[in-house]
Amino acid sequence: QKEVEQNSGPLSVPEGAIASLNCTYSDRGSQSFFWYRQYSGKSPELIMFIYSNGDKEDGRFTAQLNKASQYVSLLIRDSQPSDSATYLCAVKGTGGYNKLIFGAGTRLAVHP
Amino acid sequence: DAGVTQSPTHLIKTRGQQVTLRCSPKSGHDTVSWYQQALGQGPQFIFQYYEEEERQRGNFPDRFSGHQFPNYSSELNVNALLLGDSALYLCASSTPDSIDTQYFGPGTRLTVL
Protein backbone atom coordinates (compact mmCIF):
# COMPACT_ATOMS: atom_id res chain seq x y z
CA GLN A 1 0.00 0.00 0.00
CA LYS A 2 1.35 3.41 -0.96
CA GLU A 3 1.65 5.95 1.84
CA VAL A 4 -0.32 8.61 -0.06
CA GLU A 5 -2.68 7.65 -2.85
CA GLN A 6 -4.37 9.78 -5.46
CA ASN A 7 -6.32 8.98 -8.59
CA SER A 8 -4.00 9.87 -11.48
CA GLY A 9 -6.83 11.19 -13.64
CA PRO A 10 -7.18 13.02 -15.83
CA LEU A 11 -10.16 14.62 -14.15
CA SER A 12 -11.98 16.62 -16.79
CA VAL A 13 -14.46 19.32 -15.73
CA PRO A 14 -16.17 22.12 -17.64
CA GLU A 15 -15.31 25.72 -16.92
CA GLY A 16 -17.30 27.06 -13.97
CA ALA A 17 -17.86 23.64 -12.41
CA ILE A 18 -16.57 22.32 -9.08
CA ALA A 19 -13.52 20.09 -9.31
CA SER A 20 -13.14 17.55 -6.51
CA LEU A 21 -9.72 16.01 -5.89
CA ASN A 22 -9.23 13.21 -3.41
CA CYS A 23 -6.35 11.71 -1.45
CA THR A 24 -5.99 8.93 1.11
CA TYR A 25 -3.06 8.29 3.41
CA SER A 26 -1.92 5.26 5.36
CA ASP A 27 -0.23 6.63 8.51
CA ARG A 28 -2.95 7.26 11.08
CA GLY A 29 -0.53 9.41 13.09
CA SER A 30 -0.19 12.02 10.35
CA GLN A 31 -1.14 15.53 11.47
CA SER A 32 -0.36 17.93 8.62
CA PHE A 33 -1.69 17.84 5.08
CA PHE A 34 -0.87 19.90 2.04
CA TRP A 35 -2.09 20.51 -1.49
CA TYR A 36 0.37 21.62 -4.15
CA ARG A 37 -0.37 22.64 -7.71
CA GLN A 38 2.17 21.80 -10.39
CA TYR A 39 1.99 23.12 -13.93
CA SER A 40 3.70 21.07 -16.60
CA GLY A 41 7.47 21.56 -16.46
CA LYS A 42 7.28 23.73 -13.33
CA SER A 43 7.86 23.12 -9.63
CA PRO A 44 5.09 22.48 -7.07
CA GLU A 45 3.34 25.54 -5.62
CA LEU A 46 1.70 25.35 -2.19
CA ILE A 47 -1.99 26.27 -2.38
CA MET A 48 -3.49 24.96 0.87
CA PHE A 49 -2.59 23.26 4.13
CA ILE A 50 -4.89 21.80 6.74
CA TYR A 51 -4.28 20.36 10.19
CA SER A 52 -7.73 19.94 11.78
CA ASN A 53 -10.72 17.85 10.85
CA GLY A 54 -13.30 19.71 8.83
CA ASP A 55 -13.14 22.28 6.09
CA LYS A 56 -10.73 25.12 5.41
CA GLU A 57 -11.58 27.69 2.75
CA ASP A 58 -9.29 30.04 0.87
CA GLY A 59 -10.88 31.86 -2.04
CA ARG A 60 -12.10 29.32 -4.59
CA PHE A 61 -10.29 26.49 -2.79
CA THR A 62 -11.61 24.35 0.06
CA ALA A 63 -9.56 21.65 1.74
CA GLN A 64 -11.41 18.95 3.66
CA LEU A 65 -9.85 16.60 6.20
CA ASN A 66 -11.29 13.48 7.81
CA LYS A 67 -8.65 11.87 10.01
CA ALA A 68 -10.92 8.98 11.02
CA SER A 69 -11.24 7.97 7.37
CA GLN A 70 -7.66 9.07 6.57
CA TYR A 71 -8.99 11.14 3.73
CA VAL A 72 -8.12 14.59 2.41
CA SER A 73 -9.83 16.39 -0.42
CA LEU A 74 -9.54 19.64 -2.36
CA LEU A 75 -12.51 21.38 -3.93
CA ILE A 76 -12.01 24.03 -6.57
CA ARG A 77 -15.10 26.14 -7.18
CA ASP A 78 -15.76 28.01 -10.42
CA SER A 79 -12.97 26.08 -12.17
CA GLN A 80 -11.03 28.01 -14.79
CA PRO A 81 -8.87 26.73 -17.65
CA SER A 82 -5.90 28.21 -15.77
CA ASP A 83 -6.58 25.66 -13.00
CA SER A 84 -5.53 22.89 -15.41
CA ALA A 85 -2.51 21.34 -13.73
CA THR A 86 -1.44 18.36 -11.64
CA TYR A 87 -2.51 18.57 -8.01
CA LEU A 88 -0.23 16.88 -5.50
CA CYS A 89 -1.41 15.78 -2.09
CA ALA A 90 1.33 15.69 0.55
CA VAL A 91 1.44 14.48 4.13
CA LYS A 92 4.02 15.45 6.71
CA GLY A 93 5.91 12.35 7.80
CA THR A 94 5.62 11.33 11.43
CA GLY A 95 8.70 11.11 13.62
CA GLY A 96 9.59 14.78 13.68
CA TYR A 97 11.01 17.30 11.22
CA ASN A 98 9.10 18.20 8.09
CA LYS A 99 9.69 15.55 5.48
CA LEU A 100 6.79 15.54 3.02
CA ILE A 101 5.37 12.36 1.53
CA PHE A 102 3.67 13.01 -1.80
CA GLY A 103 1.09 11.19 -3.81
CA ALA A 104 1.63 10.79 -7.53
CA GLY A 105 -0.79 13.60 -8.28
CA THR A 106 -4.10 14.02 -10.07
CA ARG A 107 -4.13 15.75 -13.43
CA LEU A 108 -7.01 18.22 -13.74
CA ALA A 109 -8.19 19.47 -17.13
CA VAL A 110 -10.71 22.33 -17.19
CA HIS A 111 -12.25 22.74 -20.63
CA PRO A 112 -14.04 25.91 -21.85
CA ASP B 1 12.30 39.15 -1.77
CA ALA B 2 13.94 36.38 -3.77
CA GLY B 3 12.38 32.98 -3.49
CA VAL B 4 14.19 29.67 -3.55
CA THR B 5 16.72 29.55 -6.38
CA GLN B 6 18.40 26.54 -7.97
CA SER B 7 21.17 26.06 -10.49
CA PRO B 8 21.65 24.92 -13.11
CA THR B 9 18.22 24.80 -14.76
CA HIS B 10 19.05 21.85 -16.98
CA LEU B 11 21.92 19.39 -17.03
CA ILE B 12 22.88 16.50 -19.29
CA LYS B 13 25.33 13.87 -18.03
CA THR B 14 26.37 10.39 -19.04
CA ARG B 15 26.24 7.24 -16.97
CA GLY B 16 28.97 6.98 -14.37
CA GLN B 17 29.57 10.71 -14.13
CA GLN B 18 29.11 12.85 -11.04
CA VAL B 19 26.87 15.91 -10.70
CA THR B 20 26.45 18.77 -8.22
CA LEU B 21 23.22 20.73 -7.94
CA ARG B 22 22.89 23.96 -5.98
CA CYS B 23 20.14 25.63 -3.98
CA SER B 24 19.75 28.95 -2.22
CA PRO B 25 16.85 29.09 0.22
CA LYS B 26 14.33 31.87 0.53
CA SER B 27 15.52 34.75 2.71
CA GLY B 28 14.96 33.93 6.38
CA HIS B 29 14.76 30.18 5.78
CA ASP B 30 17.36 27.93 7.38
CA THR B 31 16.14 24.43 6.53
CA VAL B 32 16.67 22.90 3.09
CA SER B 33 15.15 19.69 1.79
CA TRP B 34 15.89 17.93 -1.48
CA TYR B 35 13.39 15.91 -3.50
CA GLN B 36 13.61 13.83 -6.67
CA GLN B 37 10.63 13.85 -9.02
CA ALA B 38 10.61 11.26 -11.78
CA LEU B 39 8.32 11.82 -14.74
CA GLY B 40 4.68 11.20 -13.83
CA GLN B 41 5.45 10.73 -10.13
CA GLY B 42 5.25 12.85 -7.03
CA PRO B 43 8.41 14.22 -5.44
CA GLN B 44 10.37 11.73 -3.34
CA PHE B 45 12.24 12.98 -0.25
CA ILE B 46 16.02 12.59 -0.49
CA PHE B 47 17.28 14.37 2.65
CA GLN B 48 17.01 17.50 4.76
CA TYR B 49 19.69 19.84 6.07
CA TYR B 50 19.53 22.07 9.12
CA GLU B 51 22.40 23.86 10.84
CA GLU B 52 24.79 22.34 8.29
CA GLU B 53 23.88 18.79 9.23
CA GLU B 54 21.81 16.11 7.54
CA ARG B 55 19.00 15.48 9.98
CA GLN B 56 16.70 13.19 8.01
CA ARG B 57 17.17 10.96 4.98
CA GLY B 58 14.83 9.12 2.63
CA ASN B 59 15.38 5.80 0.87
CA PHE B 60 18.18 6.86 -1.40
CA PRO B 61 21.59 5.18 -1.77
CA ASP B 62 24.82 6.66 -0.51
CA ARG B 63 25.56 7.86 -4.05
CA PHE B 64 23.35 10.78 -3.06
CA SER B 65 25.07 13.15 -0.65
CA GLY B 66 24.68 16.74 0.32
CA HIS B 67 26.03 19.71 2.14
CA GLN B 68 24.72 22.87 3.73
CA PHE B 69 26.85 25.98 4.04
CA PRO B 70 26.85 28.60 6.84
CA ASN B 71 24.70 30.91 4.66
CA TYR B 72 22.08 28.07 4.53
CA SER B 73 22.61 27.34 0.84
CA SER B 74 22.93 23.70 -0.06
CA GLU B 75 24.38 21.29 -2.60
CA LEU B 76 23.19 17.89 -3.74
CA ASN B 77 25.85 15.56 -5.14
CA VAL B 78 25.13 12.38 -7.06
CA ASN B 79 27.97 10.00 -7.90
CA ALA B 80 28.13 7.17 -10.44
CA LEU B 81 25.04 8.39 -12.28
CA LEU B 82 22.52 5.84 -13.52
CA LEU B 83 19.92 6.25 -16.25
CA GLY B 84 17.29 6.04 -13.51
CA ASP B 85 18.65 9.19 -11.89
CA SER B 86 17.10 11.23 -14.70
CA ALA B 87 14.52 13.41 -12.96
CA LEU B 88 13.58 16.87 -11.77
CA TYR B 89 15.51 17.67 -8.60
CA LEU B 90 13.68 20.04 -6.30
CA CYS B 91 14.97 22.03 -3.39
CA ALA B 92 12.55 23.25 -0.75
CA SER B 93 13.20 25.65 2.10
CA SER B 94 11.29 26.43 5.26
CA THR B 95 11.42 28.72 8.29
CA PRO B 96 11.89 27.90 11.93
CA ASP B 97 8.42 29.31 12.69
CA SER B 98 6.61 27.54 9.85
CA ILE B 99 8.38 24.27 9.55
CA ASP B 100 5.23 22.66 8.22
CA THR B 101 5.23 24.73 5.02
CA GLN B 102 7.93 24.24 2.47
CA TYR B 103 8.44 26.40 -0.59
CA PHE B 104 9.98 24.85 -3.67
CA GLY B 105 12.56 26.23 -6.04
CA PRO B 106 12.17 25.93 -9.83
CA GLY B 107 14.11 22.66 -9.93
CA THR B 108 17.00 21.26 -11.93
CA ARG B 109 16.16 18.90 -14.78
CA LEU B 110 18.85 16.20 -14.90
CA THR B 111 19.09 13.93 -17.93
CA VAL B 112 21.44 10.95 -17.78
CA LEU B 113 22.35 9.41 -21.15
Side-chain angles (χ1 to χ4, degrees), chain A residues 62-101:
Chain A
T62 299
Q64 299 175 318
L65 174 61
N66 184 327
K67 291 184 180 179
S69 300
Q70 296 174 243
Y71 180 90
V72 193
S73 65
L74 179 69
L75 302 179
I76 307 175
R77 289 182 300 281
D78 188 23
S79 295
Q80 300 297 310
S82 59
D83 295 325
S84 299
T86 296
Y87 289 80
L88 297 163
C89 173
V91 175
K92 179 183 172 185
T94 54
Y97 309 132
N98 54 341
K99 159 188 170 182
L100 290 178
I101 303 167

Side-chain angles (χ1 to χ4, degrees), chain A residues 7 13 25-26 31-32 34 37-38 40-41 44-45 48 54 57-58 70 74 82 84 95 97 104 111-112:
Chain A
N7 188 319
V13 301
Y25 60 95
S26 61
Q31 297 294 321
S32 306
F34 306 84
R37 177 176 62 199
Q38 187 173 30
S40 181
E45 173 193 8
M48 292 280 301
E57 187 174 317
D58 183 0
Q70 296 174 243
L74 179 69
S82 59
S84 299
Y97 309 132
H111 53 86

Side-chain angles (χ1 to χ4, degrees), chain B residues 3-113:
Chain B
V4 182
T5 60
Q6 292 186 243
S7 63
T9 304
H10 296 88
L11 205 51
I12 299 175
K13 292 285 187 179
T14 57
R15 281 181 299 172
Q17 286 189 310
Q18 178 265 343
V19 68
T20 297
L21 310 180
R22 295 176 176 82
C23 170
S24 291
K26 184 178 171 67
S27 178
H29 289 194
D30 63 358
T31 303
V32 173
S33 301
W34 286 92
Y35 293 81
Q36 180 197 64
Q37 186 176 23
L39 200 60
Q41 301 298 315
Q44 299 292 311
F45 176 78
I46 302 174
F47 42 52
Q48 182 178 94
Y49 277 84
Y50 173 70
E51 291 189 341
E52 302 180 51
E53 291 192 359
E54 180 185 297
R55 68 172 184 176
Q56 194 174 18
R57 188 178 182 94
N59 287 332
F60 280 80
D62 291 345
R63 298 186 298 109
F64 289 78
S65 64
H67 189 77
Q68 186 178 35
F69 299 94
N71 66 352
Y72 308 124
S73 67
S74 177
E75 288 182 349
L76 164 65
N77 300 293
V78 187
N79 294 323
L81 285 166
L82 303 174
L83 296 179
D85 295 331
S86 295
L88 180 66
Y89 287 85
L90 296 161
C91 167
S93 72
S94 54
T95 69
D97 297 329
S98 300
I99 60 172
D100 282 356
T101 53
Q102 297 187 6
Y103 294 89
F104 284 88
T108 293
R109 172 73 62 187
L110 172 65
T111 302
V112 182
L113 302 177

